[in-house]
Amino acid sequence: MRILLVEDEPKVASFIKKGLEEQSYEVEQAYDGNFGLKMAMQNEYDLIILDIILPHMNGLEVCQAIRKKKSQVPILMLTALGSTDDKITGLDAGADDYLPKPFEFKELLARLRALTRRSGDNGGGEKLSIADLEMDMGSKTVTRGGKPINLTAREFALLHYLLRNRGRVVSRVDITENVWETSFDTGSNVIDVYINFLRKKIDKGFPGKLIHTLVGMGYVLKEDDA
Amino acid sequence: MRILLVEDEPKVASFIKKGLEEQSYEVEQAYDGNFGLKMAMQNEYDLIILDIILPHMNGLEVCQAIRKKKSQVPILMLTALGSTDDKITGLDAGADDYLPKPFEFKELLARLRALTRRSGDNGGGEKLSIADLEMDMGSKTVTRGGKPINLTAREFALLHYLLRNRGRVVSRVDITENVWETSFDTGSNVIDVYINFLRKKIDKGFPGKLIHTLVGMGYVLKEDDA
DNA sequence: ACTGGAATATGAGAATACTGCTGGTAGAAG
DNA sequence: CTTCTACCAGCAGTATTCTCATATTCCAGT
């Protein structure tokens, strides 16, 4: 879990950093707005903690700049200003939460957990399932109806993505970007082929298909409707 | 934007409801935990505002129950308790934000915007509806009166466009540009044909037509006037 | 009302796009 | 060297999209 901490007061910064590292978060720091924005643009973070009062470029501007880039990183705004109006400005600038100083460290942690829950930290022994299909992220194993299923890395990644979006239709573009991580359209049919692999391993021989095709739209992982 | 408000004090409830409706949010109410949970399960909301102190089942329990169902609706916890520990419990129970009473209404609005922005911009669980017709963008499914309706990609796109502009007349040119994405007039009648397809699927066999023709102008999706 | 021309609705089938699948290649892993 | 994985090419079957020809409806101007 990588966190970007943008805070100019060295004392506060190192306090937060230490505390977060104790919880085994990976923390990178920036000491002013400009630099913070640059780091946010160049790297991928799971969360950004942003002080409002910063040299060069204030937190609100940084926040807006990040959002303009369509980035969806959760942003936690941090500041000494406690009045309602400031909070509102912060939240409207695109922040996801707001924490007034002084705060208790455990509250920071709690809000952090709330913000990152969604982005799906798959570090720990997370388990995903649908119907009688189970995927264990920890041991990278998949079973259906108790039977273990052997998947290659790609197959696993694809199934993982489908599982994370179960019930939602995912287009080929979605899959390309999230599983193959190339935004370029190679004009190939790899995805079809892999869907076919998965079908053979997951659906074939089991009652109730899980992988469904929506022609012209994409694929869904869902239980057959009753 | 549909909001579920779970709050037992009538005064507070109606205060919030009124305020939200002024901002043209659609608000539904529940007066205790049990009922709130039931409503949350049976309907789709864009956001849930949950008081912690409730009769029958407190807000924390409701929150956990909702999360257990894998539902990702943003939840805003509301309470008189202001101490840090209570906030933490709330956030860890699966809430996305926490607002201590008394609060200023505009702060509630700001937090609301922050919470709904996220679910809105991932294009995901968006839902559109008119009368008893519902469209779920996530699973690309359409139902009328609860009955599932199968649409092809093109039909879905057309209905989506009509739904986004429900109540407004859209011309053939509008449709060509927005659904077919060609600004060129091919001189064909594809649109008529597809309107006809849609009619067969969503109007035929149901009481009350939704698709209306305005000769010389275009089409509208609207409920029959009483 | 009546009517003729324009606009829209509808049915059938051709044209097209999409998907499932097989077989094969290159390269990595063992 | 053999096996396994990732990927590509291409065909066949099928669902979808579109065209066209033919009703039907609409509406101004009698």
Side-chain angles (χ1 to χ4, degrees), chain B residues 161-172:
Chain B
Y161 181 66
L162 290 174
L163 215 33
R164 280 200 326 258
N165 294 283
R166 82 201 87 144
R168 190 179 320 145
V169 180
V170 294
S171 70
R172 275 156 227 278

Side-chain angles (χ1 to χ4, degrees), chain B residues 144 196 198-209:
Chain B
R144 174 144 191 206
N196 186 30
L198 275 186
R199 280 195 166 124
K200 276 187 197 160
K201 292 188 179 180
I202 75 173
D203 272 347
K204 197 164 228 171
F206 291 94
K209 303 291 166 245

Side-chain angles (χ1 to χ4, degrees), chain A residues 50-195:
Chain A
L50 201 54
D51 195 357
I52 285 197
I53 300 172
L54 288 171
H56 301 313
M57 186 183 200
N58 74 45
L60 295 172
E61 293 169 313
V62 176
C63 185
Q64 282 168 331
I66 292 173
R67 286 289 180 250
K68 238 184 207 147
K69 288 281 176 187
K70 305 252 154 93
S71 173
Q72 305 218 12
V73 222
I75 297 180
L76 174 62
M77 215 77 134
L78 214 62
T79 180
L81 306 168
S83 87
T84 303
D85 279 331
D86 285 309
K87 292 187 200 178
I88 295 172
T89 330
L91 293 170
D92 278 343
D96 295 291
D97 202 354
Y98 176 99
L99 192 58
K101 295 189 216 171
F103 53 83
E104 293 184 41
F105 197 73
K106 56 182 176 174
E107 173 153 14
L108 175 64
L109 287 177
R111 283 179 182 269
L112 226 119
R113 282 195 291 273
L115 283 174
T116 52
R117 176 170 27 238
R118 265 189 238 220
S119 55
D121 175 25
N122 51 11
E126 195 189 349
K127 278 189 182 171
L128 292 166
S129 68
I130 181 174
D132 56 347
L133 178 79
E134 294 198 359
M135 166 178 283
D136 186 317
M137 291 308 295
S139 56
K140 305 272 187 211
T141 51
V142 174
T143 59
R144 174 144 192 205
K147 272 191 175 178
I149 294 175
N150 246 333
L151 297 181
T152 70
R154 236 340 151 225
E155 289 163 358
F156 189 86
L158 175 57
L159 180 58
H160 182 214
Y161 183 66
L162 289 174
L163 214 33
R164 280 200 328 255
N165 293 284
R166 83 201 89 143
R168 279 196 65 217
V169 178
V170 293
S171 68
R172 274 155 226 278
V173 177
D174 291 336
I175 294 177
T176 310
E177 286 178 356
N178 288 284
V179 179
W180 270 262
E181 298 187 0
T182 55
S183 53
F184 210 89
D185 179 18
T186 55
S188 101
N189 70 336
V190 223
I191 292 173
D192 302 50
V193 174
Y194 272 83
I195 287 287

